[in-house]
Amino acid sequence: MNGKIYPIGIQNFEKIREDGYFYVDKTAWIYQLVKTGSYYFLSRPRRFGKSLLISTLEAYFQGKKELFEGLAMEKLEKDWIKYPILHIDLNTQKYDTPESLEDKLNGVLYEWECLYGTSPAEKSLAMRFEGIIERACRKEGQRVVILVDEYDKPMLQAIGNEELQKSFRETLKSFYGALKSKDGYIKFGMLTGVTKFGKVSVFSDLNNLDDISMRKEYIEVCGISEQELHDNLEQELHEFANAQNITYEEICHKLKMYYDGYHFTYNTVGIYNPFSLLNAFKYKEFSSYWFETGTPTYLVTLLRLHHYDLEQMAHEETTADVLNSIDSASTNPIPVIYQSGYLTIKGYDNRFGTYRLGFPNREVEEGFIRFLLPFYANNIDRVETNFEIQKFVREIEAGDYDSFFRRLKSFFADTPYELARDLELHYQNVLFIIFKLVGFYVKAEYHTSEGRIDLVLQTDEFIYIMEFKLNGTAEEALQQINDKHYTQPFETDKRKLFKIGVNFSAKSRNIEKWIVE
């Protein structure tokens, strides 16, 4: 029996410590935060430990010294002062009307007013918040600590609804404005969220907020680093390897490939997704744990809304300014996808100040692409995706290219008209998704240039070289394979080689013909 109890889905520091759950010590970073600044903002993907960070700060500011026994904080902190704490968690509500946010804030303020009193002059939410901060400080004789968990939940739920987002933005902007107007009564403030909405929006008045999301010294404040993995779970790594019937080296490599790879700025250690990692240790199984806890459909809405070329996603380039802020009116889906944890920083070009992005790991890449398929291929649902890909892979491995293309044809059968307007992009996106998914099981290389696609698929027995044309002919596509000597790298290969020319017709909105040589 494994000795450790993993705190899956438990975000309360006190519960984790009192009930003996496994905990990776983050308290040295918390001490550093508290002693070197007073207002912070941190963005991290969902299930990355933000709520636990807020809960740990809360226990610290409540002076609960006994919870920190044996942790770094025990040696660092000498004073253990108890402060009044105003903790807001915006995670728990559905925000679909302007009133839904006001009701939530009103409920929070009412609770605090029961503790610290009210003033009839305070009419608006922001004025009530200001009054509470001041009274709490006077009553307790200590300045106030303000902790906000998932500050951006209302804004995220309103993506695509400009009017609602504007309403939420104005409400939150004046509400959080109290942090600035009552600065003298505040000891410390921390706001966390998945995304950072642009400077012009919610935080425009809070120019004293230190955004540590991309700061090197705080990269490890959430999530688990390679070092922490080995420091805390060494014995369990051996047990996991035994359960999987593979070597210690193999289990380390596989965990890294599946769950590591988050880089929140350049030249820093990779961070493992804590939710997936702990689940994998608990069940001694590899699975898409993080992915299956709910991928936001707003990401797909954004990609389709902006006619995004999916092939570009794995090597997108951008600047820190773009990554750091989401403007609700922006036409670029990349910042939201990056901040939501589906892309991460892969490289940095110092000369131009640009970041290169890509998928962090196999769990996210495979999960995300699989998630996309039903949205792009109309006649397939999420349950079927797996089976369809299995069938594709089996047909490729059996050399049965006719069945393969008939199945591919069915994916384009009901191309919705709004996608058909940009047919070339739509057909490229669907092909990209399918070949990417097939590529997790067979070797696939995918090249595209000016709307043409050539593809190489390799199995143990076969090599397929395919060229796709839009509104040309299958014969032309095949001719191109021969003219450009695409088969050259495989001339000495013993495997059976197929050259396949495919034409796609805009009129029928589908594959019109394929020929094989």
Side-chain angles (χ1 to χ4, degrees):
M1 173 65 195
N2 193 328
K4 290 192 168 60
I5 335 169
Y6 298 104
I8 312 286
I10 297 172
Q11 298 161 341
N12 184 287
F13 179 70
E14 191 163 341
K15 183 174 177 179
I16 285 175
R17 297 294 289 163
E18 284 183 344
D19 296 356
Y21 283 97
F22 172 67
Y23 175 71
V24 174
D25 188 358
K26 300 287 183 184
T27 60
W29 281 285
I30 288 172
Y31 183 80
Q32 189 179 324
L33 274 173
V34 169
K35 298 300 178 188
T36 57
S38 52
Y39 293 100
Y40 293 99
F41 171 74
L42 175 72
S43 98
R44 283 293 179 266
R46 61 191 174 79
R47 302 274 174 142
F48 236 86
K50 300 185 296 295
S51 299
L52 178 56
L53 174 67
I54 291 283
S55 175
T56 312
L57 280 162
E58 184 164 27
Y60 166 78
F61 281 116
Q62 285 168 334
K64 293 185 172 173
K65 183 180 177 179
E66 70 286 358
L67 296 177
F68 292 85
E69 260 174 46
L71 300 177
M73 185 68 86
E74 185 184 28
K75 293 189 180 70
L76 294 166
E77 184 53 76
K78 300 286 174 275
D79 302 331
W80 295 102
I81 298 163
K82 185 173 186 286
Y83 294 91
I85 294 168
L86 303 177
H87 181 172
I88 309 170
D89 182 359
L90 290 182
N91 212 2
T92 51
Q93 176 99 2
K94 189 172 192 297
Y95 301 99
D96 46 10
T97 63
E99 296 73 47
S100 55
L101 176 58
E102 285 166 19
D103 292 346
K104 172 72 186 175
L105 295 176
N106 188 40
V108 170
L109 293 171
Y110 176 75
E111 274 180 40
W112 294 336
E113 284 166 342
C114 293
L115 284 174
Y116 300 115
T118 58
S119 160
E122 293 159 10
K123 295 281 188 275
S124 69
L125 295 168
M127 283 170 76
R128 286 165 65 195
F129 191 21
E130 287 174 3
I132 289 163
I133 292 170
E134 192 173 325
R135 286 191 294 276
C137 175
R138 293 189 193 284
K139 185 177 174 185
E140 305 285 347
Q142 290 290 354
R143 282 179 299 162
V144 177
V145 170
I146 294 170
L147 304 171
V148 184
D149 202 1
E150 304 288 358
Y151 92 95
D152 56 344
K153 196 64 177 274
M155 307 282 289
L156 274 178
Q157 288 189 0
I159 277 185
N161 182 340
E162 194 48 49
E163 207 171 302
L164 188 58
Q165 205 168 56
K166 188 170 176 243
S167 157
F168 287 161
R169 190 163 54 227
E170 282 164 3
T171 303
L172 290 173
K173 187 176 166 179
S174 63
F175 188 76
Y176 294 138
L179 298 179
K180 187 152 190 195
S181 60
K182 292 296 171 189
D183 178 48
Y185 297 94
I186 297 172
K187 161 79 180 165
F188 181 87
M190 178 98 184
L191 293 91
T192 71
V194 169
T195 49
K196 184 170 182 198
F197 283 89
K199 292 274 197 293
V200 291
S201 63
V202 176
F203 294 148
S204 52
D205 301 336
L206 284 182
N207 49 10
N208 53 349
L209 202 60
D210 185 4
D211 179 3
I212 57 170
S213 309
M214 292 179 83
R215 293 255 181 261
K216 281 192 171 153
E217 57 269 44
Y218 290 114
I219 287 309
E220 294 180 54
V221 73
C222 289
I224 294 175
S225 69
E226 184 89 29
Q227 186 68 49
E228 286 170 332
L229 172 63
H230 289 287
D231 288 349
N232 291 278
L233 292 160
E234 195 60 30
Q235 184 194 335
E236 287 75 12
L237 278 167
H238 288 281
E239 290 167 10
F240 197 169
N242 292 340
Q244 286 273 317
N245 209 7
I246 57 179
T247 66
Y248 171 80
E249 285 71 27
E250 285 168 331
I251 200 81
C252 293
H253 173 71
K254 202 169 171 186
L255 282 166
K256 199 174 179 61
M257 187 174 79
Y258 268 82
Y259 305 130
D260 186 19
Y262 284 91
H263 294 271
F264 299 106
T265 182
Y266 59 98
N267 286 349
T268 54
V269 296
I271 298 292
Y272 285 81
N273 180 320
F275 184 77
S276 287
L277 191 69
L278 295 183
N279 267 293
F281 273 98
K282 180 177 179 177
Y283 298 110
K284 297 194 175 57
E285 287 282 343
F286 283 88
S287 184
S288 303
Y289 297 106
W290 179 74
F291 210 91
E292 283 158 9
T293 56
T295 298
T297 43
Y298 64 76
L299 295 178
V300 188
T301 309
L302 281 172
L303 289 169
R304 280 174 47 173
L305 193 68
H306 303 311
H307 298 287
Y308 186 78
D309 178 354
L310 295 175
E311 213 244 335
Q312 219 185 311
M313 198 188 297
H315 36 80
E316 183 72 59
E317 293 208 341
T318 186
T319 63
D321 286 350
V322 174
L323 289 184
N324 251 329
S325 76
I326 289 168
D327 172 12
S328 53
S330 158
T331 56
N332 187 352
I334 289 307
V336 185
I337 291 170
Y338 162 75
Q339 291 184 10
S340 304
Y342 296 91
L343 290 175
T344 194
I345 293 168
K346 291 287 191 184
Y348 180 68
D349 186 328
N350 212 0
R351 194 169 143 216
F352 300 107
T354 54
Y355 292 95
R356 189 168 52 73
L357 304 181
F359 293 109
N361 53 43
R362 169 94 185 238
E363 176 189 13
V364 174
E365 182 171 21
E366 196 174 333
F368 194 59
I369 303 248
R370 189 168 283 171
F371 179 76
L372 289 173
L373 189 57
F375 293 93
Y376 283 86
N378 238 23
N379 54 351
I380 177 171
D381 67 28
R382 290 191 54 181
V383 182
E384 283 170 15
T385 299
N386 255 353
F387 295 109
E388 290 294 322
I389 296 304
Q390 274 176 34
K391 288 170 192 162
F392 274 130
V393 171
R394 288 194 181 122
E395 285 154 3
I396 291 163
E397 287 176 341
D400 182 1
Y401 49 79
D402 277 334
S403 298
F404 175 86
F405 278 105
R406 279 199 297 273
R407 182 174 314 283
L408 191 56
K409 222 176 150 169
S410 73
F411 274 64
F412 291 102
D414 305 311
T415 302
Y417 185 69
E418 77 273 11
L419 291 173
R421 278 183 318 195
D422 198 348
L423 189 71
E424 196 165 322
L425 181 65
H426 174 66
Y427 116 95
Q428 277 204 38
N429 279 341
V430 175
L431 288 178
F432 173 73
I433 293 170
I434 290 168
F435 290 128
K436 194 82 178 144
L437 287 173
V438 164
F440 287 116
Y441 307 99
V442 301
K443 196 174 171 198
E445 287 173 69
Y446 181 96
H447 312 276
T448 137
S449 57
E450 314 98 54
R452 285 192 309 277
I453 292 173
D454 59 275
L455 174 89
V456 180
L457 288 176
Q458 298 181 57
T459 70
D460 293 345
E461 293 173 47
F462 304 104
I463 298 167
Y464 300 83
I465 294 176
M466 305 183 196
E467 179 65 35
F468 291 82
K469 288 272 182 221
L470 179 66
N471 293 335
T473 66
E475 288 76 9
E476 281 171 24
L478 188 59
Q479 189 64 45
Q480 185 171 324
I481 293 175
N482 290 323
D483 290 350
K484 297 208 168 173
H485 311 296
Y486 289 166
T487 57
Q488 211 168 353
F490 306 104
E491 269 163 13
T492 59
D493 205 293
K494 298 274 189 290
R495 289 173 289 180
K496 185 167 181 183
L497 189 136
F498 296 111
K499 294 182 279 188
I500 307 178
V502 186
N503 187 49
F504 204 95
S505 149
K507 193 170 172 216
S508 69
R509 306 216 289 265
N510 209 324
I511 292 173
E512 181 183 58
K513 186 179 176 186
W514 60 91
I515 53 173
V516 182
E517 200 176 88

